[in-house]
Amino acid sequence: MNDRRDDASKPGTSVSKSSIPRAIADHASGHEFPRDDRPTAMRLRKLSQRDVDEAVQRHALFAKGRTGGGRASFAGCDLGYLDFKSTELSGADFSGARLAHADLRSAILVSANLFACDLRHTDFRFADLSRADLRGACLRGSNLSDAKLMEADLRDGVLLKPDARGNLVASGFDTASADIATATAIRADMSNAKMSNAFVVQTDLTDSVLRNVRLFRADLSHANLTGSNLEGADLTEANLTGAILNGAVLYNAIFSGTTLTDADLAGAAFSNFDREAPHFAGARLPKVLDALGKEMRTMLIAHDIWIRSSGREGKRADLTRRDASGQSLSSVNLSASNMEFVVLVGCDLSRMDLLMANMSFSDLRDADLTYADMRGITLRRANLTGANLVGAQLSPINIIGSNVQRWGAHLEHARLARTKLRGVDMSHASLQHADLSGADLRDTNLTGANLQDADLTDADMRGANLNDADLRGVTGHHS
């Protein structure tokens, strides 16, 4: 005798209206329902500001081992728009919670559980999220500027909850990967964070620290990584399409199957750079320039005429996005030239005339700039790590016929680690946020210099003149 259910499954077999399809019969008899991969909205328990304040107080007692304390648990709660500013909630449980638009500025969330949280437009400025579990969290539009995320986990994550039938189904958002799209994370420290498969599209990561971060298959397309430190980062199969990496440090970064189409790498620093490597195909790279070639000779002649005629004749030299690494430009006059994003790694630039030149984002690592005239130069975000500037002139210049009587050197955000600056006149220079760690600043004249938020860790300051210098926010130096 044939099984009617088997017959019903065969093509062309009719089934009466009163019969039950086999799939429904199987489910009704106790078979497991198939997993529904579509996220479902969780029913969140709404808390008031008073509820939060009380939980924070109990957590503080818990952390101190006092009676009446208890670990804060906000799992599955609606905490949107509430105030957590400057709270100490290390180890607290926020899994699956909604914190959209909440204020967590300067909050301490070390090792906190923020698994699959809704953190859209949350303010995390100056917060400490070290070792926090942020898998599957949505940080879209959030502000992580100056936050600490060392060893944080931002990998894939899916929060499961039982449905009406008791089966576990995915809940939360329309993505199972950490979503940091359109967030702001300026100067955020994400060292050693786990960010495989993270969605970091159009995120502002300017000056962020991403040392040794695992970004396997992460989507960083159109992200702004200007001045970021990606030393040792794993970028295997990561998508960096259209990303801005001006002045980024990529020493020992792993490029394997990485997509860099239209990525702007001008000013980026590599430990071993091979422009012919397949992952650099389609990237925006500096054009190789032969310092002794016809193009350079023609440019210098026209520039000399331009200087002598006060700009009436000739043409200003433009070395923007050119790469002349390892070559010699010693004693060449490129005063007032445009040299933004120029790559001059290991070059002999001794005794050059660079008066009022614009060398923003230039890569001058290990360059010889001894006795160069660099008065009034602009070196914003330039990389001069290991360069030799002994005998160079970086003092202000008086501009005739202008309201600005004195124009100092501009080195804001410049990398001057281990740079030789002994005895150099850098009076009234702008050095805000400059990295001078390990620099030789013996007998350097820094009178009136602006060193706000500069890093002077391990710098040799013996004999340095700091009269009237602005030292607010300086690290590594005790006056």
Side-chain angles (χ1 to χ4, degrees):
M1 183 176 178
N2 293 332
D3 189 327
R4 294 182 64 184
R5 291 181 300 175
D6 290 341
D7 290 339
S9 66
K10 294 177 182 178
T13 304
S14 62
V15 180
S16 67
K17 293 182 180 179
S18 61
S19 63
I20 300 175
R22 180 174 182 177
I24 295 178
D26 286 344
H27 289 164
S29 63
H31 285 260
E32 184 180 6
F33 283 85
R35 181 182 181 276
D36 184 357
D37 287 322
R38 293 171 300 176
T40 59
M42 290 184 67
R43 291 185 179 87
L44 301 177
R45 183 166 59 95
K46 189 171 180 59
L47 298 187
S48 66
Q49 186 64 55
R50 182 177 179 179
D51 294 330
V52 167
D53 294 342
E54 290 176 354
V56 170
Q57 290 175 10
R58 288 195 301 272
H59 189 83
L61 293 173
F62 166 78
K64 295 175 182 177
R66 294 183 180 176
T67 305
R71 186 189 301 275
S73 179
F74 301 106
C77 293
D78 185 350
L79 307 163
Y81 294 93
L82 297 184
D83 186 358
F84 290 84
K85 188 165 62 266
S86 301
T87 53
E88 167 42 274
L89 287 166
S90 295
D93 185 7
F94 291 88
S95 54
R98 176 179 179 267
L99 282 151
H101 298 277
D103 187 349
L104 285 104
R105 285 175 290 170
S106 301
I108 309 299
L109 297 159
V110 176
S111 300
N113 183 1
L114 291 151
F115 186 86
C117 275
D118 181 355
L119 303 171
R120 287 173 290 185
H121 303 286
T122 304
D123 193 344
F124 283 109
R125 283 176 290 172
F126 297 100
D128 190 347
L129 290 150
S130 301
R131 299 186 298 282
D133 186 349
L134 287 152
R135 287 174 296 160
C138 184
L139 286 150
R140 188 180 291 264
S142 62
N143 193 337
L144 290 151
S145 297
D146 297 292
K148 296 178 182 177
L149 291 103
M150 288 88 78
E151 299 182 38
D153 196 341
L154 290 125
R155 294 174 296 174
D156 318 39
V158 178
L159 185 67
L160 300 177
K161 78 174 190 71
D163 63 9
R165 295 166 294 196
N167 300 301
L168 291 177
V169 295
S171 63
F173 317 107
D174 58 358
T175 175
S177 301
D179 183 351
I180 319 177
T182 67
T184 300
I186 298 170
R187 295 180 299 276
D189 190 343
M190 301 182 181
S191 301
N192 300 299
K194 304 175 185 72
M195 297 178 69
S196 296
N197 296 297
F199 189 68
V200 200
V201 174
Q202 294 183 354
T203 298
D204 189 350
L205 290 155
T206 301
D207 294 323
S208 59
V209 180
L210 293 154
R211 281 196 199 95
N212 303 313
V213 172
R214 182 166 169 77
L215 287 157
F216 177 72
R217 289 184 178 171
D219 191 346
L220 291 144
S221 54
H222 304 287
N224 185 357
L225 289 149
T226 298
S228 60
N229 189 339
L230 286 148
E231 186 173 356
D234 184 355
L235 294 163
T236 302
E237 297 184 34
N239 181 10
L240 286 154
T241 300
I244 301 171
L245 289 145
N246 299 155
V249 175
L250 291 153
Y251 302 151
N252 301 313
I254 299 172
F255 293 96
S256 177
T258 310
T259 302
L260 288 159
T261 306
D262 292 323
D264 191 348
L265 296 170
F270 300 86
S271 45
N272 293 299
F273 177 60
D274 179 9
R275 65 173 53 243
E276 302 302 324
H279 45 263
F280 289 128
R284 296 173 61 192
L285 297 170
K287 181 182 177 182
V288 176
L289 176 69
D290 184 355
L292 300 175
K294 181 180 178 181
E295 181 185 6
M296 187 64 181
R297 291 198 302 271
T298 302
M299 189 185 300
L300 290 175
I301 292 170
H303 186 71
D304 185 63
I305 296 171
W306 181 77
I307 291 174
R308 293 176 185 277
S309 66
S310 298
R312 292 187 297 272
E313 300 175 25
K315 185 178 180 181
R316 181 190 184 194
D318 188 349
L319 279 77
T320 303
R321 297 176 181 270
R322 302 300 181 94
D323 187 345
S325 296
Q327 302 183 58
S328 176
L329 290 167
S330 180
S331 302
V332 169
N333 186 357
L334 282 170
S335 294
S337 61
N338 186 5
M339 300 174 73
E340 290 182 289
F341 302 104
V342 70
V343 181
L344 297 166
V345 177
C347 285
D348 180 3
L349 310 175
S350 58
R351 302 183 185 279
M352 278 189 75
D353 285 321
L354 292 165
L355 191 79
M356 297 290 293
N358 184 0
M359 300 186 77
S360 299
F361 288 97
S362 57
D363 190 350
L364 297 160
R365 286 174 293 155
D366 300 315
D368 180 359
L369 284 153
T370 53
Y371 300 101
D373 188 348
M374 303 169 73
R375 289 174 294 163
I377 196 169
T378 298
L379 285 160
R380 291 189 181 97
R381 292 191 177 278
N383 192 338
L384 293 110
T385 302
N388 188 354
L389 281 81
V390 174
Q393 300 178 60
L394 280 158
S395 56
I397 186 171
N398 293 325
I399 303 177
I400 301 172
S402 169
N403 291 329
V404 180
Q405 296 299 312
R406 183 173 57 196
W407 185 266
H410 287 269
L411 295 107
E412 297 93 335
H413 293 275
R415 298 183 188 276
L416 295 151
R418 303 186 305 281
T419 302
K420 298 178 180 66
L421 291 159
R422 184 174 185 177
V424 174
D425 186 353
M426 299 180 74
S427 55
H428 302 284
S430 297
L431 288 153
Q432 298 97 306
H433 297 280
D435 179 4
L436 288 150
S437 56
D440 184 355
L441 293 166
R442 287 175 292 173
D443 302 316
T444 301
N445 184 6
L446 290 162
T447 301
N450 190 341
L451 286 152
Q452 284 185 44
D453 301 305
D455 186 356
L456 291 166
T457 304
D458 296 325
D460 192 340
M461 304 288 293
R462 288 176 292 174
N465 187 345
L466 291 164
N467 288 336
D468 298 320
D470 190 341
L471 299 172
R472 288 176 292 174
V474 166
T475 56
H477 175 70
H478 303 285
S479 54

